[in-house]
Coordinates of all heavy atoms in Angstrom, one line a residue:
M1 N 33.4 62.1 2.3 CA 32.9 61.3 1.2 C 33.7 59.9 1.3 O 34.8 59.7 1.2 CB 33.4 62.0 -0.2 CG 32.8 61.4 -1.4 SD 33.2 62.5 -2.8 CE 34.1 61.2 -3.9
G2 N 32.9 58.9 1.3 CA 33.4 57.5 1.3 C 33.8 57.0 0.1 O 33.2 57.3 -0.9
G3 N 34.8 56.1 0.1 CA 35.3 55.5 -1.1 C 34.5 54.3 -1.4 O 34.1 53.5 -0.5
I4 N 34.1 54.1 -2.6 CA 33.4 53.0 -2.9 C 34.4 51.8 -3.3 O 35.3 52.0 -4.1 CB 32.5 53.2 -4.3 CG1 31.4 54.2 -3.9 CG2 31.9 51.9 -4.8 CD1 30.7 54.8 -5.1
L5 N 34.2 50.7 -2.7 CA 35.2 49.6 -2.8 C 34.7 48.6 -3.8 O 35.6 48.0 -4.5 CB 35.3 48.9 -1.5 CG 35.7 49.9 -0.3 CD1 35.7 49.2 1.0 CD2 37.1 50.5 -0.6
A6 N 33.6 48.3 -3.8 CA 33.0 47.2 -4.7 C 31.5 47.3 -4.8 O 30.9 48.0 -4.1 CB 33.4 45.8 -4.3
Y7 N 31.0 46.5 -5.8 CA 29.5 46.5 -5.7 C 29.0 45.1 -5.0 O 29.8 44.2 -4.9 CB 29.0 46.4 -7.2 CG 28.8 47.7 -7.8 CD1 30.0 48.5 -8.1 CD2 27.5 48.2 -8.2 CE1 29.8 49.8 -8.8 CE2 27.5 49.5 -8.8 CZ 28.6 50.2 -9.1 OH 28.4 51.4 -9.6
I8 N 27.8 45.2 -4.5 CA 27.3 44.0 -3.9 C 25.9 43.8 -4.5 O 25.4 44.7 -5.2 CB 27.1 44.1 -2.4 CG1 26.1 45.3 -2.1 CG2 28.4 44.3 -1.7 CD1 25.7 45.2 -0.6
I9 N 25.4 42.6 -4.4 CA 24.1 42.3 -4.9 C 23.2 42.1 -3.7 O 23.4 41.2 -2.9 CB 24.1 41.0 -5.9 CG1 25.0 41.3 -7.1 CG2 22.7 40.5 -6.3 CD1 25.2 40.2 -8.0
T10 N 22.0 42.8 -3.8 CA 21.1 42.8 -2.6 C 20.1 41.6 -2.9 O 20.1 41.0 -4.0 CB 20.3 44.1 -2.5 OG1 19.4 44.2 -3.6 CG2 21.2 45.2 -2.5
N11 N 19.2 41.4 -1.9 CA 18.1 40.4 -2.0 C 17.1 40.7 -3.1 O 16.2 39.9 -3.3 CB 17.5 40.2 -0.7 CG 18.5 39.4 0.2 OD1 19.3 38.6 -0.3 ND2 18.2 39.5 1.6
D12 N 17.2 41.9 -3.7 CA 16.4 42.2 -4.8 C 16.7 41.4 -6.1 O 15.9 41.4 -7.1 CB 16.4 43.7 -5.1 CG 15.7 44.5 -4.1 OD1 14.9 44.0 -3.4 OD2 16.2 45.7 -3.9
C13 N 17.8 40.7 -6.0 CA 18.2 40.0 -7.2 C 17.3 38.8 -7.5 O 16.9 38.2 -6.6 CB 19.6 39.3 -6.9 SG 20.2 38.1 -8.1
I14 N 16.9 38.8 -8.8 CA 15.9 37.7 -9.2 C 16.7 36.6 -10.0 O 16.1 35.8 -10.7 CB 14.8 38.3 -9.9 CG1 15.3 39.1 -11.2 CG2 13.9 39.2 -9.1 CD1 14.1 39.5 -12.1
M15 N 18.0 36.6 -10.0 CA 18.8 35.6 -10.7 C 18.5 35.5 -12.1 O 18.3 34.4 -12.7 CB 18.7 34.2 -10.0 CG 19.0 34.4 -8.4 SD 19.0 32.8 -7.6 CE 20.5 32.1 -8.0
C16 N 18.3 36.7 -12.8 CA 17.9 36.7 -14.1 C 19.0 36.4 -15.1 O 18.9 36.2 -16.3 CB 17.3 38.1 -14.5 SG 18.6 39.4 -14.5
D17 N 20.3 36.4 -14.7 CA 21.5 36.2 -15.4 C 22.0 37.4 -16.3 O 22.9 37.3 -17.1 CB 21.3 35.0 -16.5 CG 21.7 33.7 -15.8 OD1 22.4 33.8 -14.8 OD2 21.6 32.7 -16.5
A18 N 21.2 38.6 -16.2 CA 21.6 39.7 -17.0 C 23.0 40.2 -16.8 O 23.8 40.6 -17.7 CB 20.6 40.8 -16.9
C19 N 23.4 40.1 -15.5 CA 24.7 40.8 -15.2 C 26.0 39.8 -15.5 O 27.0 40.3 -15.8 CB 24.8 41.1 -13.7 SG 24.5 39.8 -12.6
L20 N 25.7 38.6 -15.4 CA 26.9 37.6 -15.6 C 27.8 37.9 -16.7 O 29.0 38.0 -16.6 CB 26.4 36.2 -15.5 CG 25.9 35.5 -14.2 CD1 25.7 34.1 -14.4 CD2 27.0 35.8 -13.2
P21 N 27.2 38.0 -18.0 CA 28.1 38.3 -19.1 C 28.8 39.7 -19.1 O 29.6 40.0 -20.0 CB 27.3 37.9 -20.3 CG 25.9 38.2 -19.9 CD 25.8 37.8 -18.3
E22 N 28.1 40.6 -18.4 CA 28.5 42.0 -18.4 C 29.7 42.3 -17.5 O 30.4 43.3 -17.7 CB 27.4 42.9 -18.0 CG 26.2 42.7 -18.9 CD 26.4 43.1 -20.4 OE1 27.4 44.0 -20.6 OE2 25.8 42.4 -21.2
C23 N 30.1 41.4 -16.6 CA 31.2 41.6 -15.7 C 32.5 41.3 -16.4 O 32.7 40.1 -16.7 CB 30.9 40.8 -14.4 SG 32.4 41.2 -13.3
P24 N 33.4 42.2 -16.6 CA 34.6 42.0 -17.2 C 35.6 41.3 -16.4 O 36.6 40.7 -16.8 CB 35.2 43.4 -17.6 CG 34.5 44.3 -16.5 CD 33.1 43.7 -16.2
E25 N 35.3 41.2 -15.1 CA 36.2 40.6 -14.2 C 35.7 39.2 -13.7 O 36.4 38.4 -13.0 CB 36.4 41.4 -12.8 CG 36.7 42.8 -13.1 CD 38.0 43.0 -13.8 OE1 38.9 42.1 -13.7 OE2 38.1 44.1 -14.6
N26 N 34.6 38.7 -14.3 CA 34.0 37.5 -13.9 C 33.9 37.4 -12.4 O 34.2 36.3 -11.8 CB 34.8 36.3 -14.5 CG 34.7 36.2 -16.0 OD1 33.6 36.3 -16.6 ND2 35.8 35.9 -16.6
A27 N 33.5 38.4 -11.8 CA 33.3 38.6 -10.4 C 32.0 38.1 -9.8 O 31.8 37.8 -8.7 CB 33.6 40.0 -9.9
I28 N 31.0 37.8 -10.8 CA 29.7 37.5 -10.3 C 29.5 36.0 -10.5 O 29.7 35.4 -11.6 CB 28.7 38.3 -11.1 CG1 28.9 39.7 -11.0 CG2 27.2 37.9 -10.7 CD1 28.0 40.6 -12.0
T29 N 29.0 35.4 -9.4 CA 28.6 33.9 -9.5 C 27.2 33.7 -9.0 O 26.7 34.5 -8.2 CB 29.7 33.1 -8.7 OG1 29.7 33.6 -7.4 CG2 31.0 33.1 -9.3
A30 N 26.7 32.6 -9.3 CA 25.4 32.3 -8.8 C 25.5 31.7 -7.4 O 26.1 30.7 -7.1 CB 24.7 31.2 -9.7
G31 N 24.9 32.6 -6.5 CA 25.0 32.1 -5.1 C 23.6 31.6 -4.7 O 22.8 31.4 -5.4
D32 N 23.5 31.4 -3.3 CA 22.3 31.0 -2.7 C 21.9 32.0 -1.6 O 22.6 32.1 -0.6 CB 22.4 29.7 -2.2 CG 21.1 29.1 -1.6 OD1 20.0 29.7 -1.8 OD2 21.1 28.0 -1.0
P33 N 20.8 32.8 -1.6 CA 19.7 32.7 -2.6 C 19.8 33.7 -3.7 O 18.9 33.6 -4.6 CB 18.5 33.0 -1.6 CG 19.0 34.0 -0.7 CD 20.5 33.6 -0.5
V34 N 20.8 34.5 -3.7 CA 21.0 35.5 -4.8 C 22.4 35.5 -5.4 O 23.3 34.8 -4.8 CB 20.7 36.9 -4.4 CG1 19.2 37.1 -4.0 CG2 21.6 37.4 -3.2
Y35 N 22.6 36.2 -6.5 CA 24.0 36.1 -7.1 C 24.9 36.9 -6.1 O 24.5 37.8 -5.3 CB 23.9 36.9 -8.5 CG 23.4 35.9 -9.5 CD1 22.7 34.8 -9.2 CD2 23.7 36.3 -10.8 CE1 22.3 34.0 -10.3 CE2 23.3 35.5 -11.9 CZ 22.5 34.3 -11.5 OH 22.1 33.5 -12.5
V36 N 26.2 36.6 -6.3 CA 27.2 37.2 -5.4 C 28.3 37.8 -6.1 O 28.7 37.2 -7.2 CB 27.8 36.0 -4.4 CG1 28.9 36.6 -3.6 CG2 26.7 35.4 -3.6
I37 N 28.8 38.9 -5.7 CA 30.0 39.5 -6.4 C 31.2 39.4 -5.4 O 31.1 39.6 -4.2 CB 29.7 41.0 -6.5 CG1 28.6 41.3 -7.6 CG2 31.0 41.7 -7.0 CD1 28.1 42.7 -7.7
N38 N 32.3 38.9 -6.1 CA 33.5 38.7 -5.3 C 34.2 40.1 -5.2 O 34.6 40.7 -6.2 CB 34.4 37.7 -6.0 CG 35.7 37.4 -5.3 OD1 36.2 38.3 -4.5 ND2 36.3 36.4 -5.5
P39 N 34.2 40.6 -3.9 CA 34.7 42.0 -3.8 C 36.2 42.1 -4.2 O 36.7 43.2 -4.4 CB 34.5 42.3 -2.3 CG 34.5 40.9 -1.6 CD 33.9 40.0 -2.7
H40 N 36.9 41.0 -4.1 CA 38.4 41.1 -4.5 C 38.6 41.1 -6.0 O 39.7 41.6 -6.5 CB 39.1 39.8 -3.9 CG 38.9 39.7 -2.5 ND1 39.5 40.6 -1.6 CD2 38.2 38.9 -1.7 CE1 39.2 40.2 -0.3 NE2 38.4 39.2 -0.3
L41 N 37.6 40.8 -6.8 CA 37.7 40.8 -8.2 C 37.0 42.1 -8.8 O 37.4 42.6 -9.8 CB 37.0 39.6 -8.9 CG 37.7 38.2 -8.5 CD1 36.9 37.1 -9.2 CD2 39.1 38.1 -8.9
C42 N 35.9 42.5 -8.1 CA 35.2 43.7 -8.6 C 36.0 44.9 -8.7 O 36.8 45.3 -7.7 CB 34.0 43.9 -7.6 SG 33.0 45.4 -8.1
T43 N 35.9 45.6 -9.8 CA 36.7 46.9 -10.0 C 35.8 48.1 -10.1 O 36.2 49.1 -10.5 CB 37.5 46.8 -11.3 OG1 36.6 46.6 -12.4 CG2 38.5 45.7 -11.3
D44 N 34.6 48.0 -9.6 CA 33.6 49.1 -9.5 C 33.2 49.6 -10.9 O 32.9 50.8 -10.8 CB 34.3 50.2 -8.7 CG 34.3 50.0 -7.2 OD1 33.4 49.4 -6.7 OD2 35.3 50.4 -6.5
C45 N 33.3 48.8 -11.8 CA 32.9 49.4 -13.1 C 31.6 49.8 -13.3 O 31.2 50.7 -14.2 CB 33.4 48.4 -14.3 SG 32.2 47.0 -14.4
G46 N 30.6 49.1 -12.6 CA 29.2 49.5 -12.6 C 28.4 48.8 -13.8 O 27.2 49.1 -13.9
N47 N 29.0 48.0 -14.5 CA 28.3 47.4 -15.7 C 27.1 46.5 -15.2 O 26.0 46.6 -15.8 CB 29.2 46.3 -16.4 CG 30.3 47.1 -17.3 OD1 30.3 48.2 -17.3 ND2 31.0 46.3 -18.0
C48 N 27.3 45.8 -14.0 CA 26.2 45.0 -13.6 C 25.0 45.9 -13.2 O 23.9 45.5 -13.5 CB 26.7 44.1 -12.5 SG 27.6 45.1 -11.2
A49 N 25.2 47.0 -12.7 CA 24.2 47.8 -12.1 C 23.4 48.5 -13.3 O 22.2 48.6 -13.2 CB 24.7 49.0 -11.3
E50 N 24.1 48.6 -14.4 CA 23.4 49.2 -15.6 C 22.4 48.2 -16.2 O 21.4 48.7 -16.8 CB 24.5 49.6 -16.7 CG 25.2 50.9 -16.3 CD 26.1 51.3 -17.4 OE1 26.0 50.9 -18.6 OE2 27.1 52.1 -17.1
V51 N 22.7 47.0 -16.0 CA 21.8 45.9 -16.7 C 20.8 45.3 -15.8 O 19.9 44.6 -16.2 CB 22.6 44.8 -17.5 CG1 23.5 45.4 -18.6 CG2 23.5 44.0 -16.5
C52 N 21.0 45.4 -14.5 CA 20.2 44.7 -13.6 C 18.8 45.4 -13.6 O 18.5 46.6 -13.4 CB 20.7 45.0 -12.1 SG 19.7 44.1 -10.9
P53 N 17.7 44.5 -13.8 CA 16.4 44.9 -14.0 C 15.8 45.3 -12.6 O 14.7 46.0 -12.6 CB 15.6 43.9 -14.7 CG 16.4 42.6 -14.2 CD 17.9 43.1 -14.1
T54 N 16.3 44.8 -11.5 CA 15.7 45.2 -10.2 C 16.6 46.1 -9.4 O 16.4 46.3 -8.2 CB 15.4 43.8 -9.5 OG1 16.7 43.3 -9.3 CG2 14.6 43.0 -10.2
E55 N 17.6 46.6 -10.0 CA 18.6 47.6 -9.3 C 19.2 46.9 -8.0 O 19.3 47.5 -7.0 CB 17.9 48.9 -9.0 CG 17.4 49.6 -10.2 CD 16.8 50.9 -9.9 OE1 16.7 51.3 -8.7 OE2 16.5 51.7 -10.9
A56 N 19.5 45.5 -8.2 CA 20.0 44.8 -7.0 C 21.5 45.0 -6.9 O 22.1 44.6 -5.9 CB 19.6 43.4 -7.1
C57 N 22.2 45.5 -7.9 CA 23.7 45.7 -7.9 C 23.9 47.0 -7.4 O 23.5 48.1 -8.1 CB 24.2 45.5 -9.2 SG 23.9 43.9 -10.0
V58 N 24.4 47.2 -6.2 CA 24.6 48.5 -5.7 C 26.0 48.7 -5.1 O 26.6 47.8 -4.6 CB 23.6 48.8 -4.5 CG1 22.2 48.8 -5.0 CG2 23.8 47.7 -3.4
P59 N 26.6 49.9 -5.2 CA 28.0 50.1 -4.6 C 28.0 50.1 -3.1 O 27.0 50.7 -2.5 CB 28.3 51.5 -5.2 CG 27.0 52.2 -5.5 CD 26.0 51.0 -5.7
I60 N 29.0 49.5 -2.6 CA 29.2 49.6 -1.1 C 29.9 50.9 -0.9 O 30.7 51.3 -1.5 CB 30.1 48.5 -0.7 CG1 29.6 47.1 -0.9 CG2 30.5 48.7 0.8 CD1 30.6 46.0 -0.8
D61 N 29.4 51.6 0.2 CA 30.1 52.8 0.6 C 30.7 52.5 2.0 O 30.1 52.0 2.9 CB 29.0 54.0 0.8 CG 29.7 55.3 1.1 OD1 30.7 55.3 1.7 OD2 29.2 56.3 0.6
D62 N 32.0 52.8 2.1 CA 32.7 52.3 3.2 C 32.5 53.2 4.4 O 33.0 53.0 5.6 CB 34.3 52.2 3.0 CG 34.9 53.5 2.7 OD1 34.3 54.6 2.8 OD2 36.2 53.5 2.3
E63 N 31.6 54.2 4.3 CA 31.2 54.9 5.4 C 30.1 54.3 6.2 O 29.7 54.7 7.3 CB 30.7 56.4 5.0 CG 31.8 57.3 4.7 CD 31.2 58.8 4.3 OE1 30.1 58.8 3.7 OE2 31.9 59.7 4.6
E64 N 29.5 53.2 5.6 CA 28.4 52.5 6.1 C 28.8 51.2 6.7 O 29.7 50.6 6.3 CB 27.2 52.4 5.2 CG 26.7 53.8 4.8 CD 25.6 53.7 3.8 OE1 25.5 52.6 3.1 OE2 24.9 54.6 3.6
Ligands
SF4_1 FE1 31.7 43.1 -12.3 FE2 31.8 45.7 -12.7 FE3 29.7 44.7 -11.4 FE4 32.1 44.8 -10.2 S1 30.9 46.5 -10.8 S2 30.8 43.0 -10.2 S3 33.6 44.4 -12.0 S4 30.2 44.2 -13.5

């Protein structure tokens, strides 16, 4: 079982802004072409994944 280290945002991101206010660590910033999560700030809380309309916030599995 691999440990989850952080969430990442995939290219399914439509830059809707839903996740930005939900991140308690302010780990999410507007990148190019999609939003980006700073893995050093992310605490794996999953808030962003809950609000993302396109399921673009996904956990990284360190087995992959
Ligand atoms: Fe922020 Fe939580 Fe998403 Fe990590 S999992 S980027 S801490 S909202």
Side-chain angles (χ1 to χ4, degrees):
M1 193 173 119
I4 293 170
L5 305 175
Y7 277 68
I8 61 166
I9 296 177
T10 71
N11 287 335
D12 290 333
C13 172
I14 57 173
M15 303 183 81
C16 70
D17 265 354
C19 60
L20 282 188
E22 300 301 325
C23 180
E25 310 300 332
N26 292 318
I28 304 172
T29 53
D32 181 11
V34 295
Y35 281 19
V36 177
I37 295 173
N38 182 334
H40 301 293
L41 296 177
C42 176
T43 58
D44 285 325
C45 75
N47 284 6
C48 48
E50 282 182 26
V51 298
C52 181
T54 63
E55 298 183 357
C57 304
V58 295
I60 300 170
D61 188 321
D62 66 6
E63 282 183 330
E64 294 177 344

